[in-house]
Amino acid sequence: MPLQPLPKVPSGVHGLDEITGGGLPRGRPTLICGGAGCGKTLFAMEFLVRGATEHGEPGVFMAFEETAEELAANVASLGFDLRRLVAQRKLAIDYVRVERSEIEETGEYDLEGLFVRLQYAIDSVGAKRVVLDTIESLFSGLPNPAVLRAELRRLFRWLKDRKMTVVITGEKGEGTLTRQGLEEYVSDCVIFLDHRVTDQTSTRRLRVVKYRGTTHGTNEYPFLIDEGGISILPVTSLGLAHRVTNERVSTGIPRLDEMLGGRGYFKGSTILVSGTAGTGKTTFAAILARAATERGDRCLYFCFEESPDQLVRNMRSVGVDLKSPVKSGTLEIHAARPSTHGLERHLVTMHKVINQRRPDVVIVDPVNNLVRVGTLLETQAMIIRLIDFLKARGITTFFTSLTGGGDDLEQTDIGISSLIDTWLNLEVVKNGGERNRTVAIVKSRGMAHSNQTSEYILGARGVSIADTYLGVSGVLTGSARLAKEAEDEAAARVADRAIVRKQGERERRRRQVEAQILLLREGLDADDADLAGAIQEGHVRLQAETLRMAKSRPAFVARGHRGKAKGPGVRKRR
Amino acid sequence: MKRRTSATARQKQAVSAPPERWELRLYVAGQTARSAIALANLERICEEHLKGQYHIELIDLLKNPRLARGDQILALPTLVRKLPAPMKKIIGDLSNEERVLIGLDLRPLGREGT
């Protein structure tokens, strides 16, 4: 490894710099090869245009196949205005036409004319970048390949000496990268473009075959050509280094917030709602969208089943107003049939819109419809990329996933459950001639969450989650729940009445006791009166007796008086 | 730019041949040995076959690089027959006279009179 890292120039092609760790090798040639229609010329043109407009490096486009006018027309659809760039002296286009029939070889020659033209073009704009598209056509135009090969070798040396960053395009050959073996001359960086059709859907792919002196991503990366130029998706290189937050966002359903530790989803987490048809996945999504927009967050809704209008109308029926956020621009609904594009196009479109709009919440409804476009493996890879991409930006992501009937409900058919932070499972419970909906939290990373399966009701005012009743066969739903509720209410009333009755009884008993106490006291008082009467009587008799005795024996008078004094003391004690 | 016009001389061949005007351009890059050979070859061939009828324009692309574009010059030296139409291009140092004659659509001398 060299101590001095290889100097690189930003290619200007979205995503390529991430794969190559900074761009194309500065001052060296890069070969872009691939079959017909794989996007070589556009790639090369974008390299020049971005260089000229964004990196202050004017460029020369030496075209061997198309005239300057044709080129300008071809890339106008990508938003490149070549005429203006030429007028601003940021770009020089030289069309080199070689007509075999017009040329007669009469002796020794070289391609100095090409060098002269290149030098002139480079000098005219002060170019730092050069594109040769496709220099191979010289092989068919010039009679002597030996001379041509020697001259090409000289040309690349010449370009290197002038420190030009060069992109050369080359047509794919049979079993070789290019038909004329251009890779022999360009050994620094070779990028291969491929355009293939699988199941009637076309995908473009890019691979860095070789990049001398530097590490690079070696995978095949899907790329797209659209009105913004070329975009490559190197998202697999992102890894798991995103920052997380403790901030929470409401689900839009208070009871569901409660079930999720009282505060809803984590901001920036990935949420999956799975369920069979008609379980209300879209409604949960719409409610989240509404809650987000009401908070003032921006929300993007990717809809693969309904048109935006249909979604807005349908959600109005459950009292979720999406129209006003759509009008105010906080909610954007992007609807597309999955089969209209290849997977990559979907992914790139989503990337682009997300990069443009910078939303806080992204909803993909339903995510597994995309499987119809690609293979399971591809879709899985795409979703992983999308999740990485969104996580890296701290965007709360909400996927819905349709579970087919008969499948294990706690499994997504695209096998992304392990990537999900919070997973809600919606089910339809058939019981007592009814279909009722339940919601359960399968998992929710990093927060305490309810373990209960709860019934929820789709009403005119959205989703409301009912109290949980457990019956013999699990959670009671629908009428069974209502019956249970009624039963509970009746039982409560019975209990209330029993208490009232008991209170009455006690009061009566108290009154009885009090009456008895009164009676006893009266009896006692009567006794007292009797006793007093008797004592009085006794006294009188004693006095009479004493008097009588005193009359007969006077010496006993004093004693008799003492006995009389004792009398009141006894009475007091009673 | 360097102009060399041949001395007005009568045609060697039959007077009946229509007096055609030959406009030739020889593109070179600098005073290299190869450009010198090409020019010498051209002048010799013209004197021999087109005496009095031709006009050679020598263009040095090192001095006038922008002219390379107009005639789509790539290989050097290149001889362009501007007139008579159609335009013809011959590359190389013109040392293969037979091929030059074919390239310029000049019939070899032997057959011309017949």
Side-chain angles (χ1 to χ4, degrees), chain A residues 86-149:
Chain A
V86 170
Q88 292 172 337
R89 305 187 77 75
K90 286 178 174 172
L91 184 70
I93 302 175
D94 192 359
Y95 168 55
V96 178
R97 190 171 55 92
V98 207
E99 198 68 59
R100 183 79 163 88
S101 59
E102 281 180 7
I103 291 176
E104 191 68 39
E105 189 190 337
T106 64
E108 283 181 30
Y109 64 93
D110 55 31
L111 295 183
E112 192 60 34
L114 183 69
F115 288 70
V116 167
R117 289 170 74 169
L118 207 44
Q119 181 69 61
Y120 177 67
I122 288 169
D123 291 344
S124 68
V125 293
K128 295 268 185 289
R129 301 179 175 207
V130 171
V131 166
L132 303 173
D133 177 54
T134 301
I135 202 157
E136 276 178 325
S137 34
L138 290 182
F139 282 90
S140 60
L142 290 173
N144 192 338
V147 172
L148 186 51
R149 286 188 187 280

Side-chain angles (χ1 to χ4, degrees), chain A residues 401-464:
Chain A
S401 171
L402 177 71
T403 317
D407 291 354
D408 184 355
L409 292 177
E410 299 214 343
Q411 204 179 37
T412 52
D413 47 3
I414 45 175
I416 53 163
S417 48
S418 61
L419 304 164
I420 300 297
D421 297 314
T422 298
W423 182 3
L424 308 180
N425 188 31
L426 305 183
E427 267 183 62
V428 164
V429 178
K430 280 176 268 187
N431 192 10
E434 294 172 342
R435 295 168 65 90
N436 296 302
R437 300 180 175 98
T438 63
V439 54
I441 301 165
V442 181
K443 72 167 178 188
S444 194
R445 285 178 181 154
M447 62 174 89
H449 55 271
S450 166
N451 63 351
Q452 277 185 334
T453 300
S454 308
E455 182 183 4
Y456 73 91
I457 297 137
L458 280 178
R461 288 160 76 187
V463 166
S464 56

